[in-house]
Each structure stands twice: as C-alpha cells, then as structure tokens.
Amino acid sequence: NAGVTQTPKFQVLKTGQSMTLQCAQDMNHEYMSWYRQDPGMGLRLIHYSVGAGITDQGEVPNGYNVSRSTTEDFPLRLLSAAPSQTSVYFCASSYTVGANNSPLHFGNGTRLTVT
Amino acid sequence: AQSVTQLDSQVPVFEEAPVELRCNYSSSVSVYLFWYVQYPNQGLQLLLKYLSGSTLVKGINGFEAEFNKSQTSFHLRKPSVHISDTAEYFCAVSDLSGNTPLVFGKGTRLSVIA
C-alpha cells in the first residue's frame, strides 16, 4: 500500500505566489488533516476533514484553504504565500478523528520555502 | 481543551544508557495519550498509546510509557538506547469522545551518542 502520499517533496515560492500541496491516501480513511512543523513549535494543526464535503479549521488556518471532494484527496492551498509560511507540511489520515482506535498515518512531508 | 508539555526539547544520551522523555498533559476530562516518533526526513509514526487498563504501556522498539493520572504525566522510557533511536519524539493527547483532533507537544529530540 502507498499509504499517505504528499507531493511535491520540496517547493520554493516567491512572496505572493499561490500553490497547492497535494495529499492522497489509499486506506479509505475518513479523517484527513494538515499540520505544519516549525522548529521549537512542534506540530500545529492547520485544517482537517472528517469526510468528503466536510472541513474544519485547526489551530493555525489563516492563509490556507482546503476542500475535500473525495475520500482519497485533501489538497492544501496557499492563496498568496508569505515568508511566515516557510515550514514543513505534513498530511495525516486515520479512520477516526481522535485516532484512538487506529493510528494517524503521516506522509513524508513537503518542505516549503517562501522567499 | 487539552494541552501537552514536553519538558525537554533535546536529550543527549550515550548508547546503551537508559533514557526517559517527559510528557505532562492538561485536561479537564479523561484522555487518551500517545507517543509518536519521527525519524529524520520522515513523517511521524505511532510508538505506543494509552487508552485504558494497565498504566504501563509497551510499544515498538523496546519503548514503554507509564500513565500517571495523579501527576498528569505520560513519560516515555527505554532501558538501553541504540544509535537507531536517534529521532524526534512527540507526545499527543485526545479526549475520549474521539471527535477532536490529536494535540501534539513540541517534541523532544533524542540524540544517541556512540
């Protein structure tokens, strides 16, 4: 199984540019989420989804949009990139939100630099 | 709402020595607790979890953690570490409803020295 696949692995953007980080999972997980990881800050939740057509904001949603048109895909959109969005982004999925009965499965991350 | 505090940002330890990575949580309700590990240039993976029952939980790679409700702690331990244990370790918490996302701590970087 591929698990959680994130593309691209690396990206450099100029301030003001837009882009979409892709995330796909093949485990039929209802719950999908996006985190950003910054030094000394740990993992912070950006947005999450409990199923197709349903999304919700996490701790740091500003500057990011998401949609969930299928169970498999959960793209993260940066509408106008800012240097503060330089980070490593992780997509994660699970059967349930609380991940108590099944673990969160993480992708290998997208390293984004905004200049 | 729940929160997690990992008391040490970095822990250096010599190979074959024991290690303890500390985690304290805050919550007004009962919780589930987790430890995840992140090896270099990878995503996180589950190390172990406490849902209920025995307060001593065993995980993969020889790690174990003990849930202490009175101290609101969930410290991770390993009696003898290997070079391959070098990684970042994250403690996480969720409530019993299963309807709220995991909240992660800021992580502890374990460096095993040969």
Side-chain angles (χ1 to χ4, degrees):
Chain A
N1 283 342
V4 179
T5 302
Q6 289 185 238
T7 55
K9 292 184 179 179
F10 302 94
Q11 183 71 48
V12 179
L13 290 178
K14 294 188 188 303
T15 297
Q17 286 185 316
S18 63
M19 79 159 295
T20 299
L21 280 63
Q22 301 291 346
C23 175
Q25 53 90 10
D26 62 357
M27 296 171 283
N28 203 31
H29 286 166
E30 290 295 326
Y31 175 69
M32 295 186 74
S33 56
W34 278 100
Y35 289 89
R36 60 178 289 174
Q37 183 178 25
D38 303 289
M41 301 296 290
L43 287 162
R44 292 182 291 170
L45 183 65
I46 305 171
H47 285 285
Y48 64 98
S49 168
V50 298
I54 306 168
T55 63
D56 208 344
Q57 296 182 350
E59 180 186 356
V60 288
N62 292 341
Y64 307 95
N65 275 359
V66 293
S67 60
R68 184 98 178 269
S69 56
T70 67
T71 299
E72 295 78 18
D73 300 298
F74 191 45
L76 179 72
R77 297 183 186 85
L78 283 69
L79 302 178
S80 178
S84 61
Q85 294 179 303
T86 293
S87 187
V88 181
Y89 291 85
F90 287 98
C91 179
S93 72
S94 178
Y95 285 113
T96 58
V97 176
N100 47 312
N101 289 321
S102 69
L104 267 181
H105 292 259
F106 283 80
N108 284 331
T110 294
R111 187 174 296 274
L112 175 67
T113 301
V114 182
T115 61
Chain B
Q2 294 78 42
S3 66
V4 172
T5 300
Q6 291 184 243
L7 297 162
D8 306 295
S9 59
Q10 297 186 62
V11 174
V13 62
F14 286 105
E15 194 173 18
E16 298 183 7
V19 70
E20 178 180 83
L21 305 183
R22 296 181 293 168
C23 171
N24 285 91
Y25 69 92
S26 173
S27 177
S28 58
V29 298
S30 295
V31 296
Y32 297 131
L33 291 157
F34 308 81
W35 277 98
Y36 279 77
V37 59
Q38 183 182 30
Y39 297 106
N41 299 313
Q42 295 185 25
L44 282 68
Q45 56 185 279
L46 181 66
L47 200 55
L48 50 78
K49 62 183 178 182
Y50 171 78
L51 302 182
S52 65
S54 172
T55 57
L56 184 63
V57 179
K58 294 190 184 297
I60 61 172
N61 300 338
F63 282 93
E64 63 182 32
E66 185 157 20
F67 171 59
N68 187 320
K69 189 173 182 178
S70 62
Q71 307 259 350
T72 61
S73 68
F74 190 54
H75 300 334
L76 181 70
R77 301 186 184 101
K78 186 169 182 178
S80 175
V81 295
H82 303 290
I83 295 289
S84 59
D85 293 322
T86 294
E88 189 148 18
Y89 293 79
F90 292 91
C91 185
V93 63
S94 71
D95 66 29
L96 300 191
S97 73
N99 294 326
T100 56
L102 288 189
V103 174
F104 287 89
K106 293 185 177 181
T108 297
R109 183 170 298 278
L110 173 64
S111 299
V112 180
I113 306 160

